[in-house]
Amino acid sequence: MTVRLYDSKAQALRDFAPLRDGRVGMYVCGPTVQSSPHIGHLRSALVYDIMRRWFAYRGNDVAFVRNVTDIDDKILNAATDNGTDEEWWALAYRVELEFSAAYASLGIMAPTYEPRATASIAQMQQLIARLIELGHAYAAPDGSGDVYFDTASWPAYGELTRQARDNMEAAADADPRGKRDSRDFALWKGRKATEPESASWASPWGDGRPGWHIECSAMATRYLGAEFDIHGGGLDLRFPHHENELAQSTAAGDGYARYWVHNGLVNIGGQKMSKSLGNSVYAAELFELASPLAVRYLLGAAHYRSTLDYTPGSLAEAEAAVDRVRGFLTRVERRLAGTRYAGVGAPVIPDAFAAAMDDDLGVPQALAVLHDTVRAGNQSLDAEELRDAAVAHGQVVAMVEVLGIDPRDPRWAAADAGPAASALDALVARLIEDRQAARESRDYAAADRIRAELSAAGITIEDSSTGTHWSLGL
């Protein structure tokens, strides 16, 4: 089937046709590394990780570029305001490492390339020079070194968000000291006396640094070409960031992104997450509350274009969901071991799952197929229909692998192996020993009571020829 994506520019679902058959070029706006990663950053990165995995499953070679904005007003301000002598570049690198660690904890695949803005200054200056030559940008006449995009020179400005230029507010991304029009946005920012010399580069217009928007345009075309398939990012980036990217790149003569994809934001208990409300939830907090696998499941479970409403209770639900999958896979593998059905059941994606994913990455509907298959597989095991159980096992394996939530992956076992897990294992093992002793002494009432207590706590035990095994809620 053809993959369909919602194109924010067209404001419609479109059949996806790559620029080059069998190859997909994706550029995703990465973090501005001024502070620690929060739940919104993780959700956005995970959306495009799942999209990338699905394109790869559909037989495409995916070139995936996610940038790091390591020079920006926010970074300079954060370095000044944090009360230490930390240099801006040291702060940026330290925070970048936090992001990398959080992405790795969630099993997010490393990009094909992850360029830093500071490594593409020459390409940014070349793009700015083209825009000036074509009459779409101008150097400020006041000698400040600023360069601005002339929004009046580009009639298509506003096409991404379908806004008329006359109705737009002033661009607040730079000092308006040399602007012809308040809506013009900065391509190059001349260095101010209060800024560190290390945060500026020589240019034909004077020492300074790039504006935020020109960074992504230069990096995307440097690594993916003048025209590429997909540009992704959070919904909050549509304006002004992506609108300005589109304007400056197309004004320079580049085809740029053929599909614009935006993920929804995250609410906290029904409220928009913001620093002003003090309700930000950071990656470190999430990993203290639940396993990384459960966090990945939760952040990927809602449709990518919807708003994700986070509550601490939703993490518990995600833990339970992945435990059901883990319990089923463990149960099948144990039961089929040594039988003629061991190894039966190739990892095949069910048609209903594939149809959901092809339809604008319908992960909620795909997860429904996953859990229906788990239920059916457990019922087959209960009925001793081992071939059907083996087939369900193969389908579940294929689905969790493509979503990146296979609980058998060693990365999750290592992450889950903490003091709490060890303590629970020891306690349950002791109760299982007590139950076995009660059965051997024919105290069946005590054995049943122990089983009932474990069941009430959400722990399922299963007797087999290899002993008694336990899991969290099959």
Side-chain angles (χ1 to χ4, degrees):
M1 291 181 65
T2 301
V3 175
R4 299 205 306 162
L5 289 176
Y6 185 86
D7 181 356
S8 298
K9 183 170 178 283
Q11 294 189 10
L13 281 170
R14 294 176 57 201
D15 290 349
F16 178 75
L19 188 63
R20 301 173 183 85
D21 287 344
R23 301 179 65 184
V24 176
M26 294 181 64
Y27 181 87
V28 174
C29 283
T32 298
V33 285
Q34 87 271 13
S35 60
S36 297
H38 56 60
I39 188 172
H41 296 126
L42 299 186
R43 198 257 175 124
S44 183
L46 180 56
V47 161
Y48 298 105
D49 181 67
I50 295 173
M51 186 177 292
R52 174 190 186 181
R53 289 169 183 262
W54 188 248
F55 277 124
Y57 170 79
R58 280 304 192 197
N60 297 285
D61 179 15
V62 182
F64 187 90
V65 178
R66 184 184 65 220
N67 79 297
V68 175
T69 297
D70 62 339
I71 181 65
D72 185 76
D73 290 350
K74 294 177 181 177
I75 295 170
L76 297 183
N77 292 337
T80 301
D81 297 341
N82 67 5
T84 70
D85 294 329
E86 188 174 30
E87 298 279 1
W88 66 269
W89 45 264
L91 166 70
Y93 183 57
R94 175 171 59 79
V95 174
E96 179 186 338
L97 292 179
E98 288 186 44
F99 273 88
S100 297
Y103 294 156
S105 293
L106 282 185
I108 292 172
M109 298 168 63
T112 308
Y113 194 67
E114 191 170 23
R116 296 186 183 121
T118 53
S120 294
I121 300 294
Q123 288 73 23
M124 296 170 200
Q125 292 184 356
Q126 290 165 11
L127 180 54
I128 293 170
R130 282 165 57 196
L131 288 168
I132 293 175
E133 183 180 356
L134 291 168
H136 297 301
Y138 58 92
D142 58 4
S144 62
D146 295 343
V147 181
Y148 299 100
F149 182 84
D150 184 357
T151 54
S153 75
W154 191 242
Y157 185 59
E159 63 180 326
L160 179 65
T161 51
R162 302 198 177 188
Q163 296 184 77
R165 178 177 172 275
D166 290 345
N167 297 331
M168 293 181 186
E169 296 181 356
D173 63 333
D175 191 322
R177 54 192 174 183
K179 289 186 179 184
R180 293 177 183 169
D181 188 283
S182 64
R183 288 157 293 198
D184 295 348
F185 58 87
L187 301 174
W188 189 259
K189 299 182 179 183
R191 178 179 174 267
K192 298 178 181 178
T194 55
E195 296 174 347
E197 290 187 19
S198 60
S200 70
W201 289 260
S203 84
W205 317 287
D207 291 354
R209 54 191 168 85
W212 178 31
H213 315 302
I214 201 71
E215 294 180 353
C216 283
S217 284
M219 287 184 283
T221 54
R222 180 181 183 183
Y223 296 103
L224 293 175
E227 186 175 17
F228 56 93
D229 294 303
I230 297 171
H231 193 312
L235 190 63
D236 55 329
L237 298 180
R238 287 178 67 237
F239 187 86
H241 185 47
H242 290 169
E243 187 74 73
N244 292 352
E245 275 188 64
L246 175 63
Q248 65 199 9
S249 292
T250 50
D254 294 337
Y256 211 53
R258 301 173 72 241
Y259 297 81
W260 289 85
V261 180
H262 293 93
N263 63 276
L265 306 182
V266 179
N267 283 351
I268 307 298
Q271 284 188 310
K272 180 181 178 180
M273 184 176 70
S274 69
K275 287 185 178 180
S276 61
L277 292 175
N279 63 349
S280 298
V281 176
Y282 291 93
E285 298 174 59
L286 289 171
F287 295 140
E288 288 179 358
L289 293 172
S291 68
L293 175 55
V295 175
R296 181 181 176 103
Y297 183 96
L298 171 65
L299 298 184
H303 191 273
Y304 78 90
R305 288 195 286 120
S306 68
T307 298
L308 176 66
D309 192 19
Y310 167 79
T311 64
S314 54
L315 277 174
E317 295 170 4
E319 279 290 13
V322 297
D323 283 338
R324 283 194 296 273
V325 176
R326 180 189 291 111
F328 168 69
L329 293 174
T330 301
R331 188 182 179 208
V332 175
E333 290 162 8
R334 185 186 301 131
R335 178 65 185 86
L336 299 186
T339 74
R340 64 193 178 101
Y341 297 106
V344 172
V348 175
I349 295 285
D351 290 343
F353 182 98
M357 294 295 287
D358 283 339
D359 187 12
D360 198 28
L361 215 69
V363 174
Q365 294 79 11
L367 286 175
V369 176
L370 169 65
H371 289 293
D372 285 346
T373 307
V374 166
R375 266 190 300 274
N378 273 319
Q379 291 169 357
S380 295
L381 275 182
D382 293 340
E384 286 296 303
E385 297 167 350
L386 300 187
R387 174 174 288 278
D388 290 344
V391 170
H393 177 274
Q395 292 176 335
V396 169
V397 166
M399 289 185 278
V400 294
E401 282 184 349
V402 79
L403 291 175
I405 55 172
D406 187 348
R408 307 167 310 157
D409 190 318
R411 77 164 62 247
W412 307 126
D416 291 343
S422 299
L424 177 62
D425 184 63
L427 289 171
V428 175
R430 176 60 183 273
L431 287 170
I432 288 174
E433 289 176 6
D434 291 346
R435 176 175 174 267
Q436 182 61 27
R439 294 174 73 188
E440 290 174 357
S441 64
R442 302 195 176 209
D443 187 355
Y444 298 117
D448 290 344
R449 184 177 66 254
I450 293 171
R451 186 183 191 113
E453 289 173 354
L454 290 169
S455 179
I459 295 168
T460 299
I461 59 174
E462 186 173 11
D463 299 313
S464 72
S465 59
T466 60
T468 299
H469 306 277
W470 70 274
S471 61
L472 287 172
L474 286 179

